[in-house]
């Protein structure tokens, strides 16, 4: 078989694999706030926004295997509200070590940041761990692609507006060198584009 035919075959295989799990299934798989024991934010204090970008973050601290992600989320919510005085967890979604996706801040409300960029308009994704020190695992990478593709499809976000924290602020290394590599080398943008093409072909 000639290389071009092989690449078409590969594309069809990728498309059919993706067809097995539509983006609607990705959205349904997200663990809602109530399910991990979180509480809704005070809507009267929320800054409402319209999603135009997708921005990737890391936790920036080690996430030890065996840590209960739901307990982590409850602690993060309490810390965000009491210590930081924020509306809620600064991110809209959190991805754990197994690639499970959790709802955090309501997507309709703009996020918060310790740096100087304005997160208004950004859908914010946090992956647990410190990617200055460890590598992201495949389950985490797959979940980032799934979540970015679902968000890009739902909010009509351009592939070019899929970025990371450090692309918006030079005062941070977030999402960490080992995860940033996948942003810089267009891994996520490429995979999301394929995912969206597969969805359209359904
Ligand atoms: Zn960040």
């Amino acid at each position: 078989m000639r290389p071009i035919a092989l690449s078409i075959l590969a594309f069809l295989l990728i498309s059919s694999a993706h067809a097995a799990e539509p983006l609607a299934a990705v959205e349904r798989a997200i663990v809602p706030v109530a399910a991990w024991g979180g509480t809704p934010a005070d809507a009267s204090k929320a800054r409402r926004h319209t999603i135009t970008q997708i921005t990737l973050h890391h936790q920036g601290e080690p996430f030890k295997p065996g840590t209960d992600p739901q307990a982590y989320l409850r602690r993060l919510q309490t810390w965000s509200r009491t210590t930081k005085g924020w509306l809620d967890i600064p991110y809209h979604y959190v991805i754990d070590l197994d690639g499970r996706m959790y709802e955090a801040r309501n997507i309709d409300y703009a996020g918060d940041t310790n740096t100087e960029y304005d997160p208004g308009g950004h859908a914010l994704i946090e992956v647990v761990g410190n990617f200055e020190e460890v590598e992201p695992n495949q389950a985490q990478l797959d979940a980032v692609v799934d979540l970015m593709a679902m968000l890009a499809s739902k909010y009509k976000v351009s592939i070019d507006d899929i970025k990371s924290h450090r692309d918006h602020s030079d005062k941070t290394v977030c999402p960490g060198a080992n995860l940033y590599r996948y942003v810089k080398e267009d891994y996520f943008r490429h995979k999301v584009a394929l995912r969206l093409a597969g969805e359209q072909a359904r």
Side-chain angles (χ1 to χ4, degrees), residues 56-58 91 113 115 117 165-166 172 174-175:
L56 187 65
H57 299 259
H58 71 159
Y91 316 106
T113 176
T115 60
Y117 85 106
H165 190 174
R166 59 177 280 180
T172 182
C174 180

Side-chain angles (χ1 to χ4, degrees), residues 15-91:
S15 302
S16 62
H18 285 153
E21 202 195 346
L23 294 175
V26 173
E27 193 164 11
R28 282 195 300 273
I30 298 170
V31 179
V33 169
W36 55 258
T39 56
D42 180 351
S44 70
K45 293 183 178 149
R47 180 164 71 110
R48 291 182 171 272
H49 69 159
T50 302
I51 299 297
T52 57
Q53 316 209 36
I54 298 169
T55 305
L56 187 65
H57 299 259
H58 71 159
Q59 179 190 358
E61 289 165 358
F63 193 91
K64 291 196 189 77
T67 303
D68 176 1
Q70 304 208 359
Y72 160 72
L73 285 161
R74 292 192 294 271
R75 284 196 302 276
L76 181 58
Q77 188 174 60
T78 301
W79 174 84
S80 299
R81 288 176 178 163
T82 57
T83 306
K84 298 299 295 186
W86 288 333
L87 180 74
D88 207 332
I89 291 173
Y91 316 106

Side-chain angles (χ1 to χ4, degrees), residues 10 12 17 31 74 83 90 104 115 118 125 148 150 182 190:
L12 290 172
V31 179
R74 292 192 294 271
T83 306
T115 60
D118 177 5
I125 301 171
M148 284 178 166
M150 186 279 285
Y182 293 87
H190 179 72

